[in-house]
Amino acid sequence: MARTEITATVTGSVWEVPVSVGDTVSEGDEVVIAEAMKMEIAIEAPVAGKVVELRVAKDDEIEEGAVIAVIES
C-alpha cells in the first residue's frame, strides 16, 4: 500500500478538520480547511484511500509545506 503525505498549501491556522483517522476519502475530498488572510482554503486529498494520520487539530498553526495528514491507498 502506498502512503501519500498531504501538505499545507498555505501558512495560517486550521479552521476545521472534517475527517478522522480511519475515514475513507475520495480524491478531492476536503481533509483540512485552513484559514489564511481571513479566507478559508480547503486542502484536499490528492488520492483516494484511508486517513492513517492526522497531524493537526482545530486552531493549530500551520506552515506552508508542512505535512498535515497521511493517506494510505
Side-chain angles (χ1 to χ4, degrees), residues 2-49:
R3 292 172 67 91
T4 302
E5 294 182 336
I6 301 172
T7 57
T9 54
V10 295
T11 296
S13 61
V14 176
W15 186 71
E16 185 178 351
V17 183
V19 299
S20 300
V21 171
D23 286 357
T24 299
V25 294
S26 298
E27 183 178 342
D29 284 356
E30 294 178 347
V31 176
V32 170
I33 301 172
E35 182 179 24
M37 299 182 295
K38 299 188 181 186
M39 294 175 41
E40 294 172 16
I41 296 107
I43 301 172
E44 301 175 344
V47 296

Side-chain angles (χ1 to χ4, degrees), residues 2 20-25 47-53 70-73:
S20 300
V21 171
D23 286 357
T24 299
V25 294
V47 296
K50 182 178 180 180
V51 179
V52 293
E53 287 183 46
V70 179
I71 295 176
E72 196 169 78
S73 56

